[in-house]
Amino acid sequence: MTWNILHDKVKHHLEFIYADVDLPLTIDQLAVSLMKTIGIDDEVDIAQPQSHYNYWDEDDIIMITYGDSVIDGDERPLVTLNRFLHRYCKNTVNNVHILPFFPYSSDDGFSVIDYSSVNESLGTWEDIEAIAKDYGLMTDLVINHCSARSAWFDNFVKGEGTGSDFFFTADPADDLSMVTRPRVSPLLRETETAKGTKHVWCTFSHDQVDFDFRNPNVLLAFVDIIRLYIDKGAKLFRLDAVAFLWKIVGTNCINLPQTHEVIRLLRTLIEHVDPSIIIITETNIPNRENLTYFGNANEAHAIYNFSLPPLLVNTLVSGDCKYLKSWMMSMPPAQNGTAYFNFIASHDGIGLRPAEGLLSDEEISELVHTMQNFGGKISWRASDHGQQKPYEINITLFDALQGTIKGPDRWQIDRFICAHAIMLGMEGIPGLYIHSLLGTSNDYEKVANTGQNRSINRRRWELTELEALLDSPYSQHHKVLTRLSQLIRVRKAQPAFHPNATQFTLQLGNQIFGYWRQSLDRKQSVFCISNISDEEQSVLLSDINLIGTDNWIDLITRQEIALSSSFLQMKPYQTLWISNQDFE
C-alpha cells in the first residue's frame, strides 16, 4: 500500500467519525498529522498487513497481572515480577498483560494521571522493556477517561494549555435518561473552572473524567501514546472501556457507530506500523453487542469473551451445562484474522451484564446468592428504570468454585481445574489471571483496608511467602500451579487447539459438557469432555463417535481409550481430551 492510498483510507475513517463535527482543521490535515504521529510518512516503508491472517497459534497464552502482584522487599516490583515469571511461568505463558502501570489516583490504575511514565512505585520503562524482551507485552490503553488529578484536567479547570478542551461536558437539564451506566454514581460532576461551572461527564467515577473525542486533539494525543507504547515493546493493546468512547446526548452513549469507526482507524494506523500488533477490545456488555467489535475482521483482532465466566461458574456450581451449551452453540466461529479472548477470571469480578439474555433472572439470583455464601461481594449498577441490578460478583475464582449451590464440598481443586480445562480447550486465545495460576483465596483484609469490593481478588503476595507455598507439595497453591501448568503444556502442543481451529458442540446431556476441535489441516481431532457434576458419570462411546480405524488416547493422562468398551466412566469434574494424535 502506498502512502497516498493509506492516506485516503485514513481520511475515509475520519470523514465518518467527524461527519457531524465542525473541525478546526481539514480532514486532509488531520489524516497527515495522525500518520506522522504514529510514525508513517512518505519517506519510510509502510508495513503491509495480510488480510484475514492469524498472528497467533496454539502456543499463545496470556497471563494477566498487576505490576505489583508479587513483591520482594525494596526491589522494584516489575523486577520481582520478571524474576517470578522466569522461575514459575517461563514454559507456561508467552504473553503478559501488565495492568495499568502508570501513575494513577484510583481504581487500581484505571484512573491514569500520566500516560507517558511508569509509576515509580512499580519501576521504570527499562523494567517494562526487560519483560517485553521475553514475553509479548499487553498494555492497557485507558482511552475513555483519565484521572481528575491529571495535568490535562488541571488545565481544563484553568481553561488553558493542553487538555483544556479534552473533556466531555453536558447540561444537567439535558435528557440523559437513556445513558447506559456501569455504576450507580451520578453521571455528571460539577466542576468550577476559569470559564465558569462545568458539568463533566463521568461514566465510571468522579475521579475518572471522560474525554471528548469530538476534539481531534484528543485522538492525536492517544495516537501519540500508542506510538510511545509500541516503542517500549507493546505487542498487544487492550482498549479499556472503549464501548463508551463516543457520546451523543439523547442516546444511550454506548456502542455508537463513531466508536466502532475510531477503533477501525486505530487498527489501520497500528497495523501499517507493525501488522503483528494485536488490538483487544474490553467491552463488558451483552454478548450480541460484544460480537460487533470484530467488525468485518477490520476492527478488533480479539474480543473479550465476557459471557464465558458467569456461564462457566454457573455451570459448575449448578451441575447443569444447558446454558453454557446453548451459548456455545450460538457463538459464530471467529473468522481468520480474528479470535476470541477467553478468560474466566480477571482483576475485575465476574461480570453479570454479559449473562443477560443467557441466564434467567432467577438463575442470576441463585448464582449471586451462592457466591455470597462463598464470601463474595456484589457490585451494583442502575438499570434503565432506575433500579439497582447486580453488575458484578467480586470473588476469587478459586473460592467461587469451592462448592455448589448445596454448599462447600471436597471437590474445590478438581472443580477449579475442570473450569480451566474447559476454557483452555475452547476456540480462542486463553488468558489466565495470576491469582488463578496461584490458587489465591479471597483477600478480606484488603477489602477492609480499601473499602473496594474488587480488592478481594487483587492480593499482593510477598515473594518469599509465595515461594514457600509454591514449593510445598501440600499447599493448594502448589497443586493448582502444577496441574494448570501441565494442562497448558499439553494444550500448547496440539494443533487442534489453535485459536481458530474448528469447534463443534457435543450433545452429551446436562452433566457432561463437551465439544470437538479439529486442526486447521484436519489431521488432528480432539474431543474435549468434562464431567461438570459432583457425581460419577458414564459417557457412551457411541455418543462421541470415535473413528474405529484410529487409535485414541486421553492427552491429559496419556491413557489409551479402549474402543471395545461401550462407555467411559468419568469422576466428578474430570476432563478428557481424547485425540487421534499426540504432539507433545
Side-chain angles (χ1 to χ4, degrees):
M1 180 178 288
T2 66
W3 187 92
N4 286 331
I5 293 174
L6 180 57
H7 175 250
D8 288 343
K9 186 175 182 180
V10 172
K11 282 177 60 179
H12 179 74
H13 291 305
L14 294 171
E15 285 165 353
F16 184 94
I17 295 167
Y18 294 107
D20 299 320
V21 179
D22 290 328
L23 295 177
L25 71 174
T26 67
I27 289 292
D28 183 77
Q29 291 170 326
L30 180 54
V32 171
S33 294
L34 287 168
M35 292 171 67
K36 286 185 176 180
T37 301
I38 199 72
I40 298 171
D41 60 45
D42 53 5
E43 296 180 1
V44 300
D45 292 333
I46 299 174
Q48 302 298 322
Q50 297 183 52
S51 178
H52 298 281
Y53 183 81
N54 299 320
Y55 289 96
W56 45 79
D57 60 25
E58 59 274 11
D59 196 50
D60 283 301
I61 308 285
I62 300 173
M63 190 184 82
I64 306 161
T65 181
Y66 280 102
D68 59 355
S69 289
V70 185
I71 57 175
D72 188 17
D74 293 331
E75 184 176 61
R76 297 191 303 276
L78 288 170
V79 175
T80 305
L81 175 63
N82 204 358
R83 286 201 294 122
F84 169 82
L85 288 168
H86 277 78
R87 177 172 180 187
Y88 292 101
C89 304
K90 193 166 183 63
N91 298 318
T92 305
V93 303
N94 63 340
N95 300 280
V96 180
H97 174 198
I98 305 177
L99 291 155
F101 47 80
F102 320 104
Y104 71 95
S105 55
S106 64
D107 199 16
D108 279 0
F110 287 92
S111 185
V112 179
I113 292 175
D114 179 8
Y115 289 85
S116 63
S117 63
V118 176
N119 188 336
E120 63 181 16
S121 69
L122 296 178
T124 65
W125 275 120
E126 287 73 21
D127 300 328
I128 292 292
E129 291 175 284
I131 293 173
K133 287 178 182 177
D134 295 315
Y135 303 90
L137 174 65
M138 179 168 165
T139 186
D140 286 279
L141 192 68
V142 186
I143 195 168
N144 178 70
H145 52 261
C146 73
S147 170
R149 289 175 49 192
S150 65
W152 284 346
F153 196 68
D154 283 345
N155 288 343
F156 172 80
V157 173
K158 296 174 185 175
E160 58 184 24
T162 302
S164 61
D165 53 358
F166 273 22
F167 299 96
F168 197 94
T169 61
D171 190 321
D174 290 335
D175 181 5
L176 305 176
S177 60
M178 293 178 59
V179 176
T180 299
R181 298 294 314 286
R183 300 289 186 272
V184 294
S185 58
L187 175 62
L188 300 182
R189 164 191 164 139
E190 186 175 305
T191 304
E192 297 302 325
T193 78
K195 297 181 179 179
T197 302
K198 302 289 185 181
H199 293 87
V200 182
W201 195 283
C202 299
T203 298
F204 291 90
S205 78
H206 282 195
D207 186 52
Q208 294 165 296
V209 284
D210 282 32
F211 291 110
D212 186 353
F213 272 84
R214 295 174 302 181
N215 180 354
N217 288 322
V218 176
L219 179 61
L220 281 163
F222 272 95
V223 171
D224 189 46
I225 291 164
I226 289 169
R227 180 71 238 192
L228 171 66
Y229 296 172
I230 292 173
D231 291 340
K232 299 299 183 183
K235 297 298 290 183
L236 303 97
F237 282 93
R238 174 187 183 272
L239 304 190
D240 176 65
V242 71
F244 301 96
L245 181 142
W246 198 272
K247 291 94 172 164
I248 298 177
V249 172
T251 73
N252 61 4
C253 298
I254 188 171
N255 307 322
L256 296 184
Q258 293 88 341
T259 292
H260 286 277
E261 197 67 32
V262 168
I263 298 170
R264 287 192 282 268
L265 168 64
L266 296 179
R267 164 83 174 257
T268 295
L269 293 170
I270 290 171
E271 69 183 4
H272 285 91
V273 172
D274 183 348
S276 68
I277 292 176
I278 306 304
I279 294 173
I280 303 180
T281 49
E282 187 269 334
T283 47
N284 192 355
I285 52 180
N287 189 56
R288 184 170 296 181
E289 298 170 26
N290 193 29
L291 290 169
T292 64
Y293 283 86
F294 277 140
N296 185 26
N298 63 348
E299 202 164 325
H301 294 90
I303 62 172
Y304 271 71
N305 217 344
F306 272 110
S307 295
L308 179 60
L311 289 177
L312 186 50
V313 170
N314 181 72
T315 292
L316 289 164
V317 300
S318 69
D320 188 332
C321 67
K322 62 178 177 288
Y323 295 105
L324 180 63
K325 186 165 52 178
S326 176
W327 165 77
M328 180 177 272
M329 291 171 63
S330 73
M331 291 293 281
Q335 58 180 307
N336 285 329
T338 66
Y340 292 108
F341 177 56
N342 294 328
F343 73 106
I344 49 178
S346 74
H347 61 289
D348 291 338
I350 301 168
L352 294 175
R353 282 215 76 204
E356 292 175 10
L358 302 173
L359 295 176
S360 66
D361 289 344
E362 291 75 20
E363 288 283 340
I364 290 175
S365 179
E366 183 172 49
L367 178 61
V368 166
H369 179 70
T370 302
M371 294 300 101
Q372 287 176 314
N373 287 342
F374 293 164
K377 310 290 183 181
I378 308 300
S379 297
W380 303 86
R381 71 175 180 90
S383 72
D384 295 339
H385 305 291
Q387 299 172 320
Q388 287 198 0
K389 295 188 68 172
Y391 172 74
E392 183 178 81
I393 300 167
N394 302 111
I395 192 170
T396 67
L397 184 64
F398 188 71
D399 279 353
L401 297 175
Q402 65 185 267
T404 68
I405 56 176
K406 296 177 287 188
D409 59 25
R410 62 191 178 97
W411 301 108
Q412 183 173 16
I413 291 180
D414 291 325
R415 189 181 291 110
F416 184 76
I417 298 301
C418 178
H420 285 87
I422 290 172
M423 187 265 286
L424 286 167
M426 289 175 59
E427 174 192 355
I429 303 168
L432 287 93
Y433 188 36
I434 187 171
H435 290 301
S436 292
L437 278 170
L438 301 177
T440 305
S441 296
N442 291 336
D443 191 341
Y444 300 112
E445 183 178 351
K446 190 166 187 179
V447 173
N449 289 338
T450 65
Q452 301 296 320
N453 287 348
R454 285 179 168 177
S455 296
I456 200 169
N457 194 22
R458 298 177 179 180
R459 178 164 182 165
R460 185 178 294 132
W461 281 102
E462 292 282 352
L463 181 62
T464 52
E465 176 191 7
L466 180 59
E467 286 178 329
L469 291 169
L470 291 176
D471 294 341
S472 169
Y474 304 105
S475 75
Q476 69 190 44
H477 313 284
H478 173 89
K479 293 174 182 176
V480 165
L481 182 60
T482 300
R483 291 181 65 178
L484 285 181
S485 297
Q486 188 234 348
L487 270 179
I488 292 169
R489 185 180 69 247
V490 174
R491 176 227 151 77
K492 291 170 69 172
Q494 315 305 326
F497 288 145
H498 186 287
N500 294 88
T502 300
Q503 175 174 287
F504 285 117
T505 309
L506 303 176
Q507 301 299 323
L508 302 171
N510 288 339
Q511 280 67 56
I512 300 291
F513 180 67
Y515 50 90
W516 172 72
R517 302 294 309 278
Q518 184 183 60
S519 59
L520 297 175
D521 62 9
R522 300 187 178 182
K523 292 180 179 179
Q524 185 191 33
S525 289
V526 180
F527 292 87
C528 304
I529 303 167
S530 297
N531 178 1
I532 52 86
S533 77
D534 57 3
E535 297 179 354
E536 285 197 8
Q537 301 289 333
S538 296
V539 181
L540 288 172
L541 278 176
S542 59
D543 288 344
I544 305 175
N545 196 26
L546 302 180
I547 299 173
T549 56
D550 289 350
N551 295 318
W552 297 88
I553 66 164
D554 172 27
L555 297 172
I556 297 174
T557 63
R558 294 292 187 276
Q559 293 182 352
E560 290 189 15
I561 304 299
L563 296 183
S564 58
S565 300
S566 58
F567 61 88
L568 297 169
Q569 196 71 19
M570 298 187 68
K571 298 175 182 177
Y573 304 108
Q574 181 181 5
T575 294
L576 301 173
W577 286 346
I578 302 172
S579 181
N580 59 340
Q581 294 190 59
D582 182 6
F583 289 87
E584 189 178 5

